[in-house]
Amino acid sequence: MARKSKLHLRELYSEENKDQIYDNVFAEIESFELPLGTSLRSVYDDQPNAHQRFMEKLDACIRNHDREIEKMCNFHHQGFVDAITELLKVRADAEKLKVQVTDTNRRLQDAGKEVIAQTEEIIRCRIQQRNITTVVEKLQLCLPVLEMYSKLKEQMNVKRYYSALKTMEQLENMYLPRVSQYRFCQIMIENLPKLREEIKEISMSDLKDFLESIRKHSDKIGETAMKQAQQQKTFNTALQKQNNVNYGRNMYAINGRVPEPKYEITSKRTLEEEDEHEEEVLTAHDLVDFSPVYRCLHIYSVLGDGETFENYYRKQRRKQARLVLQPQSSMHETVEGYRRYFSQIVGFFVVEDHILHVTQGLVTRAYTDELWNMALSKIIAVLRTHSSYCTDPDLVLELKNLIVVFADTLQGYGFPVNRLFDLLFEIRDQYNETLLKKWAGLFRDIFEADNYSPIPVANEEEYKIVISKFPFQDPELDKQSFPKKLPMSQSVPQIYIQVKEFIYASLKFSESLHRSSTEIDDMLRKSTNLLLTRTLSSCLQNLIKKPHIGLTELVQIIINTTHLEQACKYLEDFITNITNISQETVHTARLYGLSTFKDARHAAEGEIYTKLNQKIDEFIQLADYNWTMSESAGRASGYLMDLINFLRSTFQVFTHLPNNNNDHAAMSGKVAQTACMSACQHLSTSLMQMLLDSELKQISMGAVQQFNLDVIQCELFASSEPVPGFHGDTLQLAFIDLRQLLDLFMVWDWSTYLADYGQPTSKYLRVNPSTALTLLEKMKDTSKKNNIFAQFRKNDRDKQKLIETVVKQLRSLVNGMSQHT
C-alpha cells in the first residue's frame, strides 16, 4: 500500500513538472523569443507520447486565446462603429479642403516661379563668387611659388648659383609644401634635383678653370710676393745698416782704399725705389679671382657635399704641387731658371695661405703644414742636385740670394724655413769650392804674368801706389832715394788684393743668413784658411814644379812668400774690421798662412836644390872620359870647367839679389849656402858613382890622373868661397871622400892605408875598403888586358905581387866588414 502511494506521488510530481515545462514553452512562443529549439527539444526529451500531450496542451492554449480575442472584440465593437460614422461625416469637408489646398498651391507655384528664377540666379552667382574666391586664394598660394621659380631661373641665367640654391631651399621648405597637390608643383619638385646637379657641374667646371688659371699665374703671384718681401725687408733694415756706414771704410782702411760701402748704395737705391714706386701693394686676391673657389665651396656646403669638394680640391692641389716642385732639367744653367722655380712655389703657397685664411675648413693649418713639409723635402733635394752643377760662384751667390728671399717670403706667411737656412750652409761650402776654383785660376794667371823680378819704383807716386795695394814697410828702403826696387815681385800685391777680394766674395754669401757676427767671422776665417792652405798653396807648389821656373825665379818666390807670410796679420785685422770680432775672442780661428808660406818656401828651396842637382847631372852626362888613356891631358875636362863656371855664375846671382832687409839677406844667404853645399855634395857623389859604375870594367892610371885633375878643380871652386858665409874648409869637405881615394891611388900608399885602417887618425879614414877594392880591380883588369904594367913586371915584379897582396887584404877587410855587419 505504501509502495503504491509512493508511485502515485511520483506520477503526480511528474505531471506537475510537465505542465510547468509546457507553460514555459508557450510563454516563449507568445513572446516570440527565438530560437525555440531548446524549448521544443525539452518537450520531446520525455516519454514518447509527450508530443501528443504537448499538442493537446497547445490546442487548449489556443482556445483560451481565441475566447480572449472574442471578448475584446465584443468589448470594442461599438466604439469602432462610432468612429466609422464620424469619419464619414468628415469626408466631405476633407474633399473641399483638398480643392482649396490645390488651388492655393497652384496660385503659390505661379507666384514663386520668378522668385525661384531669381533664387537660382543668386545661387549660381554665389557659386561663381565662391569659386572665384577659391581660385584667388589658390593663386595667392601658387604665385609666390611661381615667382620664386622664375627667380630661380633668372639666377641660373645670371650664374648666381649660390643664391639659386638658397631659392631652391626656400621653395622646398616653404612654398612647394603649400601647393603640393598641383601637378605643376610635382614637375618643379622633379626639376630641382636636376638643377642642383647642373649647378654642381657648372661650379666644378669653374673651379677647374680657376685651378688651371692659378697654375698658370702662380709664378706671377710668387714673383710679386717675393718682390714685396724683399722690398719690405730691405726697407726695414736700411736704416739699421746706415748706422754702420763706416763698415766699408774700416775694411779698406788698411790699404788706403775707402769706397762707398755696397750696402749703403743698396740702401739708398732701395729708398729711392720705394719713393718712386709708392703704389698700392698687390696681394694674391688682387692678382687672382678667388670667387670660383668661394662659390663652389658655398654651393657644395649648401648641397651637403662639402667633404667631397674639399677632397677634390686638395687632391688637385697636391697634383699641382708635384708639378710645381718638378724643376726643368736646365734650371741650374741660369738664375732665371731658379727664379721661375721659386716664384711658382711661392705663388702656390701664397694661394693656399689665402684660401686658409678666407675659407673655413677647405684647407687647414695641418694640411698646409703637411703639404709644405713634403714640398720642403723636395725643394731641398732639387736644390742639392742642381746647385751641385753650378761652377760659377756668381750664379751660386745669386741662388743664395734667391733662397734667402724665398725663405723670408714664406716665413712671412707662417711657413717654417729653418731647413732652408741649413741648406744654405751646405751651399755655402759649395760656393766656397767654386770660389776656390775661380781664385785658383786667378792665382795661376797672376803667377803666369809675373816676371819674378823686384818691383821697380821710379818716384814717390809709384811707391804709394804699390804700398796702397800691399802693406809693405821697410824703414831702410824708405831712406833710399828714387829710383829703387822693392824686394817682392808684382805677384805679391796682386795676390794680397785677390785674397781680400776672396774675403769680400765669401762675406757676400754670409749676409742675410741670420747668423751672428761671431759665426760670420768664423766662416770667413775658415774659408780664407782654405784659400791659403789649399788653393794658394797648391798654386805655389805647381808653380815651383814648373820646368820653366829657374833658380832666380825660385829665389824670388822664396822672397815673395816671406812678404805674403808677413801680410797674414794684416789679413786677420782686415777680417776683424769686417766682422767687429776681436782676435782675442776665445773661439776666433787663426789664419794658417804662416805654415802655407813656410811650406812653399821649403818646397822652393828643395826645388832649387833639385834643379841644381839636375843641372849638374846634365853636365856630368856630357863627360867623355877615355878610361884606358895612358896619361892625363894635363888639364881639367871641359865639361867640368863648364859646370864650375855655371855654378859660379849661379851663386853670384844669389849673392847679388837686392837684400834691403837684413832678414832677406840672411834668408837668401842661407838658401845660397845650403844650395852650394848641396851642389858640391851632389857633384862629389856623382863623380864617385862615375868611378864605381858597374858598367865601367877597366880604368887606367892615366884616367885616374885625369879624374884627379877634375877633382882638383872642384876643390879649387869650393875653396874660392862661391857663397859667403862658409867657415874654413867646410865646403871642401864635400870632396873629402874623393880626395882621399884618389890620393891613395896616386901615391900608391897601400901600406899606410892597411896599417892605419880603422884608426881615427888614419890618413885615408874616408876610404871604404870595398870602394878601394872595386877601383883597384878595374885597374888590375886593365893591366892584364893592355899590359900597362908589363914594364913594371920586368923591372919590379915585387910591385905586381904587392897589388895581388893588397887585393887579397882588401877582400879580407870587406869580408870582415860583412861578417861584422
Side-chain angles (χ1 to χ4, degrees):
M1 181 62 85
R3 183 177 183 184
K4 286 182 180 180
S5 297
K6 289 181 182 180
L7 289 174
H8 179 69
L9 289 174
R10 188 178 295 172
E11 287 177 2
L12 288 176
Y13 180 76
S14 176
E15 287 296 335
E16 290 178 0
N17 285 339
K18 282 295 182 180
D19 291 341
Q20 183 67 36
I21 291 172
Y22 294 154
D23 290 339
N24 291 337
V25 173
F26 294 152
E28 289 179 6
I29 293 173
E30 290 175 357
S31 64
F32 297 99
E33 291 184 3
L34 297 176
L36 302 175
T38 304
S39 300
L40 294 176
R41 190 178 301 115
S42 63
V43 175
Y44 291 95
D45 287 342
D46 205 353
Q47 293 84 4
N49 58 351
H51 178 265
Q52 183 178 358
R53 293 186 64 188
F54 174 75
M55 292 305 295
E56 291 176 356
K57 287 286 185 180
L58 182 60
D59 289 339
C61 185
I62 290 172
R63 286 192 298 269
N64 288 333
H65 281 295
D66 287 342
R67 285 192 297 269
E68 290 178 2
I69 290 172
E70 184 177 354
K71 289 179 180 179
M72 186 177 291
C73 287
N74 291 333
F75 179 78
H76 290 290
H77 177 72
Q78 187 61 41
F80 176 74
V81 172
D82 291 340
I84 291 301
T85 302
E86 289 293 330
L87 184 61
L88 290 174
K89 291 179 180 181
V90 176
R91 183 176 182 182
D93 295 331
E95 290 292 338
K96 183 188 292 186
L97 180 59
K98 180 179 179 181
V99 172
Q100 291 177 355
V101 170
T102 301
D103 182 60
T104 301
N105 181 56
R106 178 183 57 78
R107 287 187 289 110
L108 181 61
Q109 292 296 328
D110 293 340
K113 285 182 181 179
E114 185 176 355
V115 176
I116 291 173
Q118 292 291 333
T119 302
E120 289 178 353
E121 183 64 23
I122 290 174
I123 292 173
R124 187 179 63 80
C125 289
R126 290 290 177 86
I127 292 173
Q128 288 181 351
Q129 183 181 9
R130 184 184 62 189
N131 292 340
I132 290 171
T133 302
T134 303
V135 170
V136 170
E137 292 176 355
K138 297 302 181 184
L139 285 177
Q140 286 178 346
L141 288 176
C142 294
L143 280 176
V145 177
L146 296 174
E147 290 174 355
M148 292 296 289
Y149 195 80
S150 175
K151 180 181 178 181
L152 172 62
K153 286 294 186 180
E154 182 181 355
Q155 290 170 341
M156 293 288 293
N157 292 333
V158 297
K159 299 182 179 180
R160 295 173 57 192
Y161 302 115
Y162 180 72
S163 300
L165 288 174
K166 289 296 183 181
T167 303
M168 289 185 197
E169 186 176 353
Q170 292 178 0
L171 276 172
E172 287 181 329
N173 297 331
M174 297 176 58
Y175 294 95
L176 289 178
R178 302 174 185 174
V179 291
S180 59
Q181 68 273 22
Y182 300 110
R183 187 169 60 182
F184 77 90
C185 293
Q186 297 299 324
I187 296 174
M188 289 183 182
I189 293 173
E190 293 175 358
N191 285 337
L192 290 181
K194 298 178 182 178
L195 291 175
R196 283 194 175 93
E197 289 299 323
E198 181 181 354
I199 290 174
K200 287 179 66 174
E201 293 175 359
I202 293 173
S203 60
M204 184 58 71
S205 177
D206 291 344
L207 176 65
K208 291 178 180 178
D209 294 339
F210 166 78
L211 292 174
E212 181 65 21
S213 174
I214 60 174
R215 187 184 69 83
K216 293 180 179 179
H217 296 90
S218 60
D219 55 344
K220 179 63 176 177
I221 299 172
E223 181 182 353
T224 303
M226 291 174 67
K227 181 179 178 181
Q228 292 170 358
Q230 186 175 12
Q231 290 176 348
Q232 183 66 31
K233 179 182 178 181
T234 306
F235 182 78
N236 291 338
T237 56
L239 296 177
Q240 180 180 358
K241 289 184 178 180
Q242 283 180 344
N243 294 332
N244 299 322
V245 70
N246 293 327
Y247 166 76
R249 294 189 177 92
N250 293 334
M251 291 190 296
Y252 285 89
I254 296 175
N255 55 18
R257 192 174 67 175
V258 189
E260 185 177 19
K262 297 181 180 179
Y263 68 85
E264 185 179 4
I265 298 173
T266 303
S267 301
K268 292 181 178 179
R269 186 184 302 116
T270 302
L271 293 174
E272 292 173 358
E273 290 176 355
E274 290 292 335
D275 294 337
E276 293 176 359
H277 298 88
E278 288 183 353
E279 56 186 14
E280 184 180 359
V281 178
L282 297 177
T283 63
H285 189 71
D286 299 323
L287 297 172
V288 177
D289 180 17
F290 287 90
S291 59
V293 180
Y294 309 148
R295 188 165 52 246
C296 197
L297 175 60
H298 292 159
I299 288 171
Y300 272 78
S301 298
V302 170
L303 295 176
D305 206 8
E307 185 177 355
T308 300
F309 172 74
E310 292 173 9
N311 293 335
Y312 176 81
Y313 176 84
R314 295 182 184 183
K315 180 180 179 181
Q316 294 302 315
R317 289 297 280 166
R318 284 182 185 276
K319 290 181 179 179
Q320 289 188 350
R322 293 188 183 95
L323 292 176
V324 167
L325 295 172
Q326 188 65 32
Q328 295 181 353
S329 58
S330 60
M331 183 179 73
H332 61 277
E333 297 177 356
T334 62
V335 70
E336 289 302 322
Y338 287 107
R339 181 175 286 110
R340 190 179 306 109
Y341 179 70
F342 288 134
S343 297
Q344 289 178 349
I345 296 174
V346 170
F348 178 89
F349 283 100
V350 167
V351 170
E352 289 303 289
D353 181 77
H354 182 79
I355 295 294
L356 172 66
H357 286 89
V358 299
T359 61
Q360 294 182 352
L362 181 55
V363 295
T364 61
R365 175 57 65 182
Y367 162 77
T368 55
D369 289 345
E370 178 189 357
L371 197 61
W372 169 245
N373 290 331
M374 181 273 292
L376 187 58
S377 299
K378 179 67 175 178
I379 292 168
I380 291 174
V382 167
L383 290 179
R384 278 200 185 107
T385 301
H386 283 264
S387 63
S388 64
Y389 300 146
C390 294
T391 57
D392 182 8
D394 295 333
L395 179 59
V396 178
L397 183 61
E398 291 182 353
L399 171 60
K400 167 258 174 181
N401 293 331
L402 281 176
I403 294 176
V404 170
V405 175
F406 172 75
D408 289 342
T409 303
L410 289 175
Q411 190 175 31
Y413 285 92
F415 295 99
V417 294
N418 292 335
R419 292 174 61 189
L420 284 174
F421 284 102
D422 294 338
L423 173 66
L424 282 175
F425 277 87
E426 299 179 22
I427 297 179
R428 182 202 65 188
D429 296 336
Q430 181 185 346
Y431 174 71
N432 285 337
E433 289 298 324
T434 58
L435 284 181
L436 293 175
K437 291 180 181 179
K438 179 180 179 180
W439 257 256
L442 293 174
F443 289 153
R444 285 194 296 269
D445 294 340
I446 291 173
F447 289 141
E448 288 292 334
D450 195 8
N451 58 6
Y452 297 99
S453 299
I455 301 175
V457 288
N459 49 49
E460 183 73 21
E461 183 179 354
E462 292 182 2
Y463 180 74
K464 288 182 178 179
I465 292 174
V466 174
I467 63 174
S468 67
K469 299 178 181 178
F470 182 76
F472 174 74
Q473 296 177 355
D474 189 349
E476 295 182 4
L477 184 64
D478 293 340
K479 297 176 182 179
Q480 298 179 11
S481 61
F482 293 99
K484 52 189 175 183
K485 292 183 178 181
L486 303 182
M488 64 278 189
S489 64
Q490 290 288 353
S491 62
V492 173
Q494 293 176 0
I495 291 295
Y496 183 78
I497 291 173
Q498 288 303 322
V499 171
K500 292 202 298 183
E501 291 298 329
F502 175 87
I503 295 173
Y504 279 130
S506 182
L507 176 64
K508 288 179 182 179
F509 196 94
S510 302
E511 293 175 346
S512 303
L513 290 185
H514 307 293
R515 297 293 173 177
S516 65
S517 298
T518 303
E519 291 176 302
I520 294 176
D521 181 86
D522 186 63
M523 287 188 287
L524 288 180
R525 293 179 184 274
K526 286 182 178 179
S527 59
T528 306
N529 278 330
L530 282 176
L531 178 72
L532 296 176
T533 59
R534 197 172 77 183
T535 304
L536 182 56
S537 176
S538 176
C539 291
L540 285 171
Q541 297 293 338
N542 293 334
L543 173 67
I544 292 169
K545 298 295 182 181
K546 286 187 176 181
H548 70 275
I549 298 296
L551 297 175
T552 305
E553 288 82 0
L554 289 171
V555 174
Q556 186 62 57
I557 290 173
I558 293 174
I559 297 174
N560 289 349
T561 55
T562 302
H563 286 282
L564 288 173
E565 178 183 342
Q566 294 172 353
C568 284
K569 63 179 181 179
Y570 296 101
L571 290 176
E572 290 194 350
D573 295 338
F574 178 71
I575 296 175
T576 298
N577 289 332
I578 290 178
T579 59
N580 293 325
I581 299 298
S582 174
Q583 297 182 28
E584 284 72 22
T585 304
V586 177
H587 300 290
T588 301
R590 294 290 184 266
L591 295 184
Y592 303 142
L594 300 179
S595 60
T596 297
F597 297 121
K598 285 181 180 178
D599 292 343
R601 277 201 305 278
H602 293 159
E605 293 172 4
E607 191 65 19
I608 289 175
Y609 310 148
T610 301
K611 285 185 178 294
L612 272 176
N613 294 342
Q614 290 176 349
K615 200 66 178 178
I616 291 173
D617 292 339
E618 292 176 3
F619 278 103
I620 289 179
Q621 288 177 1
L622 299 176
D624 187 18
Y625 285 103
N626 181 6
W627 297 106
T628 59
M629 64 173 56
S630 58
E631 59 182 11
S632 66
R635 61 182 181 276
S637 303
Y639 85 93
L640 188 69
M641 296 306 297
D642 293 339
L643 171 58
I644 291 175
N645 291 332
F646 164 75
L647 293 175
R648 198 180 303 278
S649 62
T650 299
F651 294 129
Q652 285 178 352
V653 171
F654 277 69
T655 305
H656 291 88
L657 284 174
N659 295 322
N660 302 308
N661 186 290
N662 293 331
D663 294 337
H664 294 164
M667 180 198 64
S668 59
K670 180 180 179 181
V671 172
Q673 291 173 9
T674 306
C676 186
M677 177 60 73
S678 173
C680 291
Q681 290 175 346
H682 184 72
L683 177 58
S684 174
T685 303
S686 298
L687 292 174
M688 180 68 76
Q689 290 176 349
M690 187 185 300
L691 280 177
L692 303 179
D693 188 2
S694 60
E695 295 182 358
L696 178 60
K697 302 299 182 182
Q698 51 185 334
I699 301 176
S700 66
M701 181 57 71
V704 172
Q705 293 172 351
Q706 181 63 42
F707 202 81
N708 182 59
L709 292 176
D710 294 342
V711 172
I712 291 174
Q713 290 299 321
C714 293
E715 292 172 330
L716 290 175
F717 168 75
S719 62
S720 66
E721 196 177 6
V723 174
F726 286 108
H727 300 286
D729 298 334
T730 303
L731 195 58
Q732 296 180 32
L733 293 177
F735 301 97
I736 189 64
D737 292 355
L738 272 175
R739 170 50 48 209
Q740 291 185 7
L741 179 64
L742 291 175
D743 286 347
L744 176 62
F745 277 85
M746 293 294 294
V747 180
W748 208 252
D749 194 7
W750 294 105
S751 58
T752 303
Y753 175 75
L754 294 173
D756 297 341
Y757 177 75
Q759 300 296 325
T761 59
S762 174
K763 180 180 179 180
Y764 305 104
L765 181 64
R766 304 298 294 270
V767 178
N768 190 289
S770 61
T771 303
L773 177 61
T774 301
L775 184 57
L776 186 59
E777 286 181 339
K778 291 180 179 181
M779 296 182 68
K780 177 182 176 182
D781 293 339
T782 303
S783 66
K784 290 181 180 179
K785 294 180 180 179
N786 298 327
N787 293 324
I788 296 177
F789 294 108
Q791 184 177 0
F792 290 108
R793 285 199 300 269
K794 291 179 182 180
N795 299 329
D796 195 357
R797 294 179 181 272
D798 295 337
K799 193 169 185 177
Q800 179 63 29
K801 293 180 180 179
L802 177 61
I803 294 175
E804 294 177 356
T805 302
V806 170
V807 169
K808 291 180 180 179
Q809 291 179 348
L810 289 174
R811 285 175 179 170
S812 175
L813 290 176
V814 171
N815 292 333
M817 291 175 60
S818 300
Q819 293 176 359
H820 179 71
T821 302

